[in-house]
Amino acid sequence: MNRGGQWFAKFLFTGVLPILGLAVLAWLSHGPDWAWALAALAFACMALVRTRQLSLLAAWLDAPDGSELPDAGGAGGKVFRKLARKLRHDARSRQAVEERLRSFREAMDAVPDGLVILDSSHQIHWSNRAAGEHLGIRLPRDSGAIIEHLVRTPGFAEYLAGSDASAPFVLQSPAARTRVYTVRVVPLGERNKLLVSLDVTDARRVESMRSTFVANVSHELRTPLTVVSGFLEHFADDGVIDAEQRQQFARLMSDQTARMLTLVDDLLTLSRLEAEDAPASEEDVDMADLLAQLLAEGQSLSEGRHRLDVRCDGPAVRGNRKELHSAFGNLVSNAIRYTPAGGSIDIEWRVRDQVGVFSVRDSGVGIAAEHLPRVTERFYRVDRGRSRDTGGTGLGLAIVKHILLRHQASLAIESEVGEGSTFRVEFPAWRLKPAA
């Protein structure tokens, strides 16, 4: 017997049979009229009770979470309790499914790649947050919209309609034109498609930087190599070269060879700095001693053509002495190279607002404002001709930037054309040695 039959049997035994029993007793004791009257009255009462129970059940079903289960006895009460258990079980199951769906959506929104589900007619069914940043899709606003109507990059509709999805499609974001994305289509089931977008802006920028770097290195090496090669042709010529010319050629080749060696040394230094996150070793660097060394090296480079002044009014700093000497030395040598004879260079170390400040101020040619954000780029030169004349490799400030990053320090540049420049390095307070 199924559950419906079992319930009917319970209903029959708990409701109808007792009434029939009373009717039989009434028939035997008072006659048929009393029996029919008693049976009709009992059935009417039972109908009223069942109607009341059903109305309570209907009211409870309208808001099962906000009201208590109606109190009903007998078979109706059992039905109510079973129904209540079934509803609670369904509510828990629905809540678990909603929680898993919420977790899935949060996980998909955390994915950095854009994901869009399309049907066979390219209507948007779902997308994550990254797809909104890449392709400008906003849900629920764009739910059901055809994606070609939102992404109007030439060739995109033909790419979606094509059968070859192995090659990605490159487009610029309609939301941010400065970003570049690759789009790939993946089959999803029998009729749907999954559109995946990947941000390749940084990768393309790195590739462009690599190509530019190789081109700059090739250009920087080509000039001295051409000079040395030309002089070697003169030496290999059967013609007679007098001693004075030979000495001049040898000196020029030596200068060009030294320039190439300096360039290679700077490249190796920059490569090492970029490959490491922090200095190999640190110590308490005596800034008074370091500034005295910088002064001696600056005077040797200047050869008396400039006035150099050093002022040290601060404690030792925690760091790698060799790297700090390289960074500060680059700033001092740049100031000497770009300051005309008779100018002045002031080198200072002091503490200001609990921050260690190393500064190099010169009275040189200065730098125009549009060049200041880029002067720390590799091989970037404000004046290429002047840089080569002064013997610069174009890597000095790039080396300075990487050394300062390894020491959690920052570089600030103030300059005005014709008025000179000030390069200021600031170290955090925790790198300063406390006073004795």
Side-chain angles (χ1 to χ4, degrees), residues 266 269-270 273 326-327 330 395-404:
D266 285 351
T269 299
L270 189 58
L273 293 173
S326 175
N330 269 301
L395 297 173
L397 290 180
I399 292 174
V400 171
K401 180 184 72 173
H402 281 82
I403 291 176
L404 297 184

Side-chain angles (χ1 to χ4, degrees), residues 324-354:
L324 294 179
H325 176 229
S326 175
F328 297 161
N330 269 301
L331 296 179
V332 173
S333 62
N334 279 349
I336 294 174
R337 288 191 179 98
Y338 295 104
T339 300
S344 61
I345 293 96
D346 296 321
I347 307 169
E348 184 180 23
W349 167 250
R350 63 190 176 96
V351 176
R352 184 184 64 184
D353 298 331
Q354 298 182 344

Side-chain angles (χ1 to χ4, degrees), residues 331-398:
L331 296 179
V332 173
S333 62
N334 279 349
I336 294 174
R337 288 191 179 98
Y338 295 104
T339 300
S344 61
I345 293 96
D346 296 321
I347 307 169
E348 184 180 23
W349 167 250
R350 63 190 176 96
V351 176
R352 184 184 64 184
D353 298 331
Q354 298 182 344
V355 175
V357 180
F358 173 84
S359 62
V360 178
R361 183 172 62 253
D362 63 62
S363 59
V365 295
I367 305 172
E370 63 268 20
H371 297 294
L372 292 178
R374 300 189 60 189
V375 291
T376 57
E377 295 179 10
R378 292 176 294 187
F379 294 111
Y380 186 82
R381 289 189 173 95
V382 177
D383 187 340
R384 291 186 176 273
R386 180 183 292 271
S387 297
R388 291 195 178 91
D389 292 341
T390 57
T393 63
L395 297 173
L397 290 180

Side-chain angles (χ1 to χ4, degrees), residues 82-135:
K82 289 182 178 180
L83 182 59
R85 286 195 297 270
K86 181 67 168 58
L87 290 176
R88 286 195 296 267
H89 178 270
D90 292 345
R92 287 193 295 267
S93 300
R94 183 176 64 254
Q95 185 177 3
V97 171
E98 291 176 352
E99 184 64 29
R100 286 194 290 268
L101 181 60
R102 188 181 303 109
S103 299
F104 171 79
R105 288 177 175 173
E106 291 176 354
M108 292 300 99
D109 283 338
V111 173
D113 301 339
L115 303 174
V116 185
I117 296 179
L118 306 174
D119 62 11
S120 58
S121 59
H122 299 170
Q123 288 184 327
I124 299 172
H125 283 194
W126 173 86
S127 67
N128 65 348
R129 183 181 293 112
E133 298 174 358
H134 296 181
L135 306 174

Side-chain angles (χ1 to χ4, degrees), residues 105-337:
R105 288 177 175 173
E106 291 176 354
M108 292 300 99
D109 283 338
V111 173
D113 301 339
L115 303 174
V116 185
I117 296 179
L118 306 174
D119 62 11
S120 58
S121 59
H122 299 170
Q123 288 184 327
I124 299 172
H125 283 194
W126 173 86
S127 67
N128 65 348
R129 183 181 293 112
E133 298 174 358
H134 296 181
L135 306 174
I137 298 174
R138 293 289 182 270
L139 294 182
R141 181 196 68 184
D142 297 327
S143 180
I146 297 177
I147 193 169
E148 291 95 321
H149 295 170
L150 300 177
V151 183
R152 298 181 177 273
T153 302
F156 179 69
E158 291 77 8
Y159 173 76
L160 289 182
S163 58
D164 183 15
S166 58
F169 180 80
V170 180
L171 56 81
Q172 282 188 323
S173 168
R177 296 290 181 181
T178 58
R179 311 299 295 180
V180 180
Y181 304 97
T182 57
V183 175
R184 191 183 298 272
V185 176
V186 180
L188 186 65
E190 296 181 358
R191 300 174 60 85
N192 295 337
K193 297 179 180 179
L194 178 63
L195 190 71
V196 183
S197 61
L198 178 64
D199 190 342
V200 296
T201 306
D202 294 336
R204 295 214 165 194
R205 184 180 295 117
V206 169
E207 179 64 22
S208 176
M209 291 174 59
R210 187 193 65 82
S211 300
T212 303
F213 177 73
V214 172
N216 285 331
V217 171
S218 301
H219 179 74
E220 294 294 332
L221 290 175
R222 183 180 183 85
T223 301
L225 286 174
T226 300
V227 174
V228 173
S229 176
F231 289 145
L232 288 176
E233 289 179 1
H234 284 286
F235 280 110
D237 194 359
D238 293 336
V240 178
I241 302 178
D242 57 34
E244 184 178 354
Q245 284 183 322
R246 184 181 298 275
Q247 185 177 7
Q248 181 183 4
F249 291 168
R251 184 176 65 255
L252 291 174
M253 285 192 294
S254 177
D255 292 342
Q256 296 299 328
T257 304
R259 179 183 171 187
M260 285 189 290
L261 290 174
T262 302
L263 177 61
V264 171
D265 288 341
D266 285 351
L267 288 172
L268 292 175
T269 299
L270 189 58
S271 177
R272 178 181 60 82
L273 293 173
E274 291 178 340
E276 300 174 358
D277 295 330
S281 61
E282 292 187 353
E283 58 183 306
D284 291 333
V285 180
D286 187 343
M287 293 299 291
D289 181 66
L290 180 55
L291 264 63
Q293 185 177 357
L294 294 175
L295 176 61
E297 294 171 353
Q299 290 173 339
S300 175
L301 179 62
S302 173
E303 297 179 343
R305 293 178 289 112
H306 308 87
R307 181 187 61 81
L308 276 74
D309 183 39
V310 171
R311 181 179 179 182
C312 183
D313 188 17
V317 64
R318 188 71 181 174
N320 185 283
R321 180 186 173 91
K322 182 178 180 181
E323 292 186 4
L324 294 179
H325 176 229
S326 175
F328 297 161
N330 269 301
L331 296 179
V332 173
S333 62
N334 279 349
I336 294 174
R337 288 191 179 98

Side-chain angles (χ1 to χ4, degrees), residues 421-435:
S421 306
T422 300
F423 289 77
R424 185 178 299 106
V425 178
E426 296 185 353
F427 290 89
W430 62 269
R431 282 200 171 271
L432 304 181
K433 183 179 179 181

